[in-house]
Amino acid sequence: MRLNPPTCGSLPTRRGLLAAGSTLAAAGLMPRIASAATRDPRFVFVILRGALDGLAFLPAIGDPAYAALRGPLALPASGAGAALPLGGLFGLNPNLPFLKGLFDAREALMLHAVATPYRERSHFDGQDVLENGTPSPNGSGTGWLNRAAALLPSAGPARGRDLFACGATVPLVMRGPAPVMSWSPGNLRAPLDDTVMRLERLYGERDPALLAALTESNRLDAMLPEGGQAVGGPGRIYATLAAAAGRMLARPDGPRIATLALDGWDTHAAEGPASGRLAHLLKALDDALAALKAELGPAWGDTVVAVATEFGRTAHANGTDGTDHGTAAAAFLAGGAVAGGRVVADWPGLAPAALLEGRDLRPTTDLRAVLKGVLRDHLGLPDRALADTVFPGSGGVAPMRDLLA
């Protein structure tokens, strides 16, 4: 059944950007799209690489089989380390207080038993399917989000310049015909202003294309906060990347679509959903969401953030108090444009007979339906383009409705 319970660091300077070797995949500009409406939507896609344990993120504390199935990984419904109540069947991991606040403010919508069409358990292939938008790991060399950006209508609510990839590399989901600019924090010594000026003069005389890229790099750096490096654990790194994305998308002349790829979610041993390794990752994710919202400022009200992973993890713990590669997972949407305060799940249950192959949460919602719903209703892409180009071969997957406020 479908469950819809009611609301039951600092960043581098221009020098640091150049020293870190940050690249621009393309310096061309996507045309700004005029609209009679006042909307100026932003979209952020966050990939949790390594396979998030959805039953630790969004525990089904009301399922009769939950506690016995999860064993040492079960979160209590009350008391110390208890799941944060969402009303009804589900709770939220206690290390996500900011996300819980968004849920209570109807700015976050949780989704469970979600999966891509992929049914094997390879991280690399699973991430390729998540990002290329086809049912096959080798289905496309371009990403669904880039193809979507290239199809933005010439008139309508979507407005934007280049795509913005925030991280060490441009992920597959962002590769394709639409121009992409990328940024990654670094720790290399920054070049002197004199060096930068000499490069600009040299490029201007000998290579206009490189000069254009350097000029765009300088413009990009001017949009980012001053000063810092992303060093330390995931808490600092995640927040640094999120703050950069928020600062860029908040600019009137900045991009409108961004990605964050956050590593580290492969929790085979000592998972610790309440106070261990996974707990620290979830706290880092929570802090990143707070940083993103803070940097977006008023633009948060017209933003959708979609957070997903390549597949889920086993429903039960393994012999090392961790979980192995599974199938269905949890995902969520956040932002001022989201019709939140709900958990959306066609819940399959956790009884032994309900599990996929006796080990995994059974998938009941196609992640492409969620993403199609956002792209159609938030960015204005037509159904035909979503089925034919953005997610080829998905004609039988209808866009999910009522995701946006």
Side-chain angles (χ1 to χ4, degrees):
M1 62 181 166
R2 182 171 298 277
L3 301 171
N4 284 304
T7 299
C8 359
S10 61
L11 300 171
T13 62
R14 171 171 54 89
R15 296 177 182 180
L17 182 67
L18 292 172
S22 300
T23 60
L24 296 173
L29 304 179
M30 290 173 57
R32 302 283 292 179
I33 298 172
S35 172
T38 58
R39 295 183 62 241
D40 190 6
R42 278 80 165 172
F43 178 62
V44 183
F45 185 56
V46 181
I47 303 169
L48 304 182
R49 295 199 188 281
L52 168 69
D53 183 353
L55 288 171
F57 169 82
L58 196 63
I61 53 178
D63 190 301
Y66 167 76
L69 177 67
R70 296 293 284 174
L73 301 182
L75 290 169
S78 61
L84 305 173
L86 300 182
L89 182 63
F90 300 100
L92 188 64
N93 188 283
N95 294 285
L96 296 161
F98 182 79
L99 182 57
K100 175 60 161 59
L102 294 180
F103 183 90
D104 291 342
R106 299 182 182 271
E107 292 184 348
L109 183 149
M110 309 299 166
L111 302 122
H112 219 323
V114 175
T116 71
Y118 183 67
R119 292 294 178 269
E120 303 299 327
R121 298 181 178 94
S122 160
H123 287 302
F124 301 106
D125 289 349
Q127 290 172 21
D128 281 351
V129 171
L130 173 65
E131 297 182 55
N132 71 29
T134 79
S136 168
N138 302 312
S140 177
T142 63
W144 63 262
L145 188 50
N146 189 289
R147 297 194 299 271
L151 292 172
L152 287 175
S154 59
R159 304 172 64 193
R161 296 189 54 184
D162 310 312
L163 303 174
F164 184 52
C166 201
T169 61
V170 176
L172 173 60
V173 72
M174 288 288 252
R175 298 177 201 164
V180 181
M181 46 186 181
S182 67
W183 173 85
S184 177
N187 299 308
L188 300 180
R189 183 178 178 181
L192 299 174
D193 282 337
D194 180 66
T195 301
V196 176
M197 293 174 61
R198 289 173 183 270
L199 284 172
E200 290 174 341
R201 185 178 301 117
L202 176 64
Y203 293 167
E205 293 175 354
R206 299 191 177 185
D207 197 324
L210 279 177
L211 176 62
L214 182 60
T215 301
E216 181 67 3
S217 175
N218 294 340
R219 185 193 69 81
L220 170 63
D221 181 65
M223 294 183 183
L224 295 173
E226 290 294 324
Q229 312 291 330
V231 296
R236 177 71 181 273
I237 295 170
Y238 288 8
T240 299
L241 295 173
R247 175 67 64 91
M248 288 292 288
L249 269 63
R251 297 274 302 194
D253 59 345
R256 291 297 179 263
I257 299 174
T259 57
L260 305 176
L262 307 181
D263 297 327
W265 299 85
D266 196 13
T267 52
H268 283 284
E271 181 172 305
S275 59
R277 178 184 169 192
L278 181 58
H280 293 304
L281 288 167
L282 291 171
K283 179 62 168 63
L285 176 61
D286 205 52
D287 290 344
L289 290 170
L292 179 63
K293 181 178 180 180
E295 290 292 347
L296 278 166
W300 173 260
D302 217 357
T303 294
V304 172
V305 183
V307 181
T309 190
E310 65 261 34
F311 46 70
R313 308 194 70 82
T314 48
H316 54 78
N318 59 25
T320 56
D321 289 341
T323 50
D324 298 322
H325 301 175
T327 308
F332 68 92
L333 304 178
V338 173
R342 301 175 290 148
V343 176
V344 177
D346 185 4
W347 188 242
L350 296 176
L355 298 178
L356 179 67
E357 300 177 0
R359 49 168 279 164
D360 296 346
L361 179 65
R362 187 178 298 276
T364 57
T365 296
D366 193 316
L367 180 63
R368 294 173 297 176
V370 180
L371 297 172
K372 280 183 171 186
V374 172
L375 294 177
R376 181 190 64 190
D377 297 338
H378 191 54
L379 297 184
L381 291 183
D383 287 354
R384 175 61 66 86
L386 291 171
D388 292 347
T389 303
V390 181
F391 298 103
S394 67
V397 179
M400 189 174 288
R401 298 186 178 278
D402 302 323
L403 297 175
L404 304 184

